Amino acid sequence: MGARCGLAVALLLGAVAAPLRAQDTAGPYDLILRNGRVVDGTGNPWYRADVAIRGDRIAAIGDLSEASAAREIDAAGRLVTPGFIDTHSHAGGGLASPGLSHARPLLAQGVTTVFVNPDGGGPVDIEAQRAALLADGLGVNAAPFISHGSVRRAVLGMDDRLADADEMNRMRALVQAGMEAGAWGLSSGPFYAPGSYSDTDELVELAKVVAPFGGAYQSHIRDESDYTIGVVAAVDEVITVAREAGIVGVWTHAKALGPPVWGFSMALLRRLEQARAEGVEVYADQYPYPASATGLTAALLPRWAQAGGTDSLLARLDRPDDLAAIREAVVDNLARRGGADRIQFRRFRSDVRIEGRTLDDVARERGLHPVDAAIELFRQGAPSIVSFNMHDDDLRAIMVHPLTMTASDGDLVPWQEGVPHPRSYAAFTRKLVTYVREEGVVGLEAAIRSMTSLPAQAYRMPDRGVLRVGAVADLAVFHLERLETRSEFTDPHHLSEGMEWVIVNGELAIDQGEFTGALAGRVLRRN
C-alpha cells in the first residue's frame, strides 16, 4: 500500500510538474520573465521561477534557463503576479471615451480586468456598449454586467411601485438579451432609486434569468446602515436572491456604514459563512478605504422624494409639507453619515468652487444649517460626494476574511477634473502598500489572491486570475517595497507608482515603468 501510494504521489507530482519543465514546451517564446518570485494567485507562498509567454497565453513556468525568447526581462527581486481583477468598477464610461480608453490609472495599479456596470447602473444594450468600448481600443479588459436599475428604469421609469406581470416579462427579456450579449451577471443597487422601488421577489425573478448562463448576482445592498431594513437584513437579501435563483451572490463594496452600525462587520461576515454552510455560494468585495463615495441625493434624500425624477423632486421641495418631511429625513440621514464635516464634495458642475470642501464648510460660508445647505444644493443639481463613514476595525475585519475580493468602486475621470475619491487611482496599490507592507493587516499572498484567483473563481473566469500554463497572459511585475500611492482625498489626481511591467493579453502595457501605448484589452463575454 505504501509503495502504491508513493507511486501515485510521484505520478501526480510528475503530472503537475511536467508543464513546468522548459524542455517539455517548444521554444522560442515571445517573452520570458526570468528569476521572479511567482505569486501565482492561489494564496500559496511565492516560489522562484521563470515565466514564458507565447501569443496571449502563458506557455511555460519553471526553470527556463535553456529556453530563449524574442524579449527577456530580468525580474529578479520582483514579484510576478496575475494581473489584478477589479470586481466593481465605474470605469465603463471612461473606457468608452477616446481620452480615457487607455486606462492608465488602472494599469498603474496592476489592474488588467474590470467588471463594469455595477450598482444596478449602466447601459441596457450590452452589444452597443461593447462597440463603444472597442471604438478607441482598450487598455484593460472589460467584463460588463446587465444592470437591474437601468432595466427597471427602461420599463417603469422612476415609478415608486412594484412591477406588474407584463412589466416583469419585459424586464426579463432585457436581462435575457444582456446575458445573450455576454454579460457576466446581474448587478443591482436597491439602495438607489429606482432599484429601491423593487422588492426581493423582483430581484429573485430577474436573477433566475441569469442562472442558465452561469452568471452571478452582485448587489449594492438595500441598506448599508439603518436607513430602512438595516444592513443585516440587506445582506440577508443578497443571500436570499443567490439561494432562490441558484446563482453566485456577491455583497459588493462590503462595509458597515455610519456610527449606528459600526462593529457589525463580524455579524455580517458570519451571515456569509452560515449561507455557505447551507450550500449558498456567496462572496464579498471591498475597497480599502474608510470613506465611501456616492451622490448627495442618495446619501441624504429619502427615496420617496426621488420618485418621478428630478422635476418631481423639485416640485416637492417647493411644497411646504413635503419640504418639512424631506428636511426631517435629511437630518436623520446626515446623522447616519456622521455629520456634515464627514461629507466632502468631489464633483459639482453647477458650482465647482465647493469641490474638495466639506458640507460643514460650505454651510458655514453660506450662513446656513448644513441640512438647509444640502437642500439648497439639491435645488441646483446633484453633487457627488466622498463620505467618511467607516470604522477601521470593520474595514480590517472585512479585508482579512477569505471570502473578500478586492475592488475599487472607482471611476476613470478626466485628468484634474473634480476631486474624486482616491480609490480611482490607488485602491489596489493602497491595499498592498498600507495593509500588506506597512501594517501587516493581511499577508501578501492572501492579498494577491483577493485580487486575482478569488474573483476569477467567483465570476467563473477559468483562464484568468492564476499563473499557470495555458492561462491568459495578464501579469503584473513589481517590487513591493517600491510601490507608492500619491493619491489623497484632497489631492487625488496622482497615478500609483512602482509597477515595472504590466502585461495585458500577452502585450506589454507598462514596460520598465513606462506606458507603451498598447491597447490590448478586450470586452470579455461570459458565454
Side-chain angles (χ1 to χ4, degrees):
M1 178 65 73
R4 287 198 298 271
C5 286
L7 177 60
V9 171
L11 289 172
L12 177 60
L13 291 174
V16 172
L20 306 184
R21 293 199 294 267
Q23 60 266 34
D24 292 341
T25 306
Y29 304 107
D30 295 323
L31 175 65
I32 296 178
L33 302 168
R34 295 200 180 277
N35 306 312
R37 298 179 185 177
V38 174
V39 182
D40 67 6
T42 65
N44 287 336
W46 67 264
Y47 63 95
R48 202 176 307 279
D50 306 323
V51 179
I53 294 170
R54 183 184 295 117
D56 66 350
R57 299 280 166 167
I58 297 172
I61 303 174
D63 180 1
L64 306 178
S65 56
E66 298 181 6
S68 62
R71 170 82 185 275
E72 299 189 10
I73 292 172
D74 184 4
R78 283 96 167 169
L79 302 173
V80 180
T81 78
F84 303 151
I85 299 172
D86 187 347
T87 58
H88 183 127
S89 172
H90 292 273
L95 289 173
S97 67
L100 293 169
S101 64
H102 51 66
R104 289 183 176 181
L106 308 179
L107 292 168
Q109 300 176 62
V111 172
T112 57
T113 298
V114 294
F115 281 86
V116 297
N117 308 338
D119 295 334
V124 173
D125 189 334
I126 301 300
E127 287 290 3
Q129 183 183 33
R130 180 185 304 278
L133 286 166
L134 294 174
D136 297 293
L138 279 175
V140 297
N141 303 303
F145 291 112
I146 183 68
S147 304
H148 167 252
S150 298
V151 165
R152 192 176 218 278
R153 188 189 292 263
V155 175
L156 286 90
M158 289 290 287
D159 289 358
D160 183 1
R161 61 178 177 83
L162 298 180
D164 62 27
D166 176 65
E167 290 162 339
M168 279 301 307
N169 285 333
R170 289 162 61 193
M171 285 195 286
R172 287 189 187 95
L174 290 175
V175 173
Q176 176 86 14
M179 295 306 296
E180 290 174 350
W184 289 78
L186 179 70
S187 82
S188 77
F191 173 71
Y192 296 107
S196 59
Y197 306 140
S198 69
D199 62 5
T200 304
D201 289 342
E202 177 175 313
L203 298 173
V204 168
E205 289 305 307
L206 296 181
K208 286 179 179 178
V209 178
V210 169
F213 296 89
Y217 173 71
Q218 184 198 87
S219 183
H220 177 135
I221 58 177
R222 195 174 293 272
D223 191 350
E224 295 179 322
S225 185
D226 64 346
Y227 279 91
T228 53
I229 65 174
V231 64
V232 175
V235 170
D236 283 344
E237 183 177 52
V238 177
I239 295 168
T240 297
V241 173
R243 177 189 294 112
E244 295 190 14
I247 63 176
V248 169
V250 179
W251 169 28
T252 197
H253 50 47
K255 65 175 74 72
L257 187 154
V261 294
W262 284 350
F264 278 37
S265 56
M266 296 307 295
L268 299 170
L269 293 167
R270 182 61 181 153
R271 280 293 205 279
L272 300 187
E273 294 167 359
Q274 290 171 339
R276 291 184 70 89
E278 297 165 4
V280 184
E281 189 177 353
V282 287
Y283 302 86
D285 68 39
Q286 177 201 48
Y287 50 84
Y289 288 90
S292 64
T294 187
L296 189 67
T297 53
L300 299 185
L301 278 177
R303 293 298 169 263
W304 62 262
Q306 296 174 264
T310 301
D311 289 344
S312 297
L313 168 63
L314 293 175
R316 292 184 183 103
L317 291 174
D318 286 336
R319 292 195 289 266
D321 289 347
D322 284 344
L323 177 59
I326 289 171
R327 191 181 191 284
E328 182 178 357
V330 173
V331 169
D332 291 341
N333 291 338
L334 186 58
R336 286 187 176 94
R337 293 271 166 174
D341 59 341
R342 288 178 173 266
I343 290 179
Q344 175 183 302
F345 296 102
R346 56 188 173 115
R347 189 73 175 124
F348 191 40
R349 297 181 188 278
S350 299
D351 187 357
V352 297
R353 295 172 300 172
I354 73 170
E355 293 173 353
R357 299 170 63 192
T358 67
L359 175 59
D360 183 65
D361 182 33
V362 171
R364 289 177 184 275
E365 179 182 80
R366 299 184 179 187
L368 297 172
H369 188 281
V371 170
D372 298 312
I375 291 171
E376 182 179 278
L377 292 170
F378 295 146
R379 296 180 187 277
Q380 298 173 22
S384 58
I385 63 169
V386 171
S387 177
F388 296 86
N389 51 46
M390 286 174 267
H391 195 286
D392 282 345
D393 290 347
D394 290 316
L395 179 71
R396 286 165 169 76
I398 293 169
M399 183 180 295
V400 302
H401 198 280
L403 293 177
T404 302
M405 302 174 279
T406 303
S408 74
D409 198 11
D411 297 287
L412 266 179
V413 299
W415 190 247
Q416 299 299 328
E417 180 179 282
V419 187
H421 194 300
R423 65 193 184 187
S424 297
Y425 289 100
F428 286 77
T429 38
R430 174 179 166 85
K431 186 165 184 176
L432 292 170
V433 170
T434 301
Y435 295 103
V436 175
R437 188 181 77 200
E438 295 178 353
E439 299 185 12
V441 172
V442 62
L444 170 66
E445 289 84 359
I448 298 298
R449 171 182 170 273
S450 76
M451 303 172 178
T452 56
S453 72
L454 188 59
Q457 172 182 304
Y459 290 106
R460 306 301 193 260
M461 286 185 161
D463 56 355
R464 298 179 195 269
V466 179
L467 294 188
R468 60 168 176 78
V469 174
V472 174
D474 289 346
L475 297 95
V477 183
F478 56 95
H479 273 287
L480 180 61
E481 295 75 14
R482 296 179 187 173
L483 288 184
E484 297 296 341
T485 58
R486 308 295 185 190
S487 185
E488 304 291 344
F489 283 105
T490 56
D491 184 22
H493 290 285
H494 297 277
L495 298 180
S496 291
E497 299 174 4
M499 285 291 160
E500 295 187 69
W501 291 276
V502 175
I503 299 168
V504 179
N505 296 314
E507 295 190 34
L508 282 163
I510 295 180
D511 188 354
Q512 293 182 298
E514 301 293 331
F515 295 106
T516 66
L519 297 173
R522 302 167 182 169
V523 181
L524 306 179
R525 301 181 69 99
R526 172 67 186 92
N527 55 348

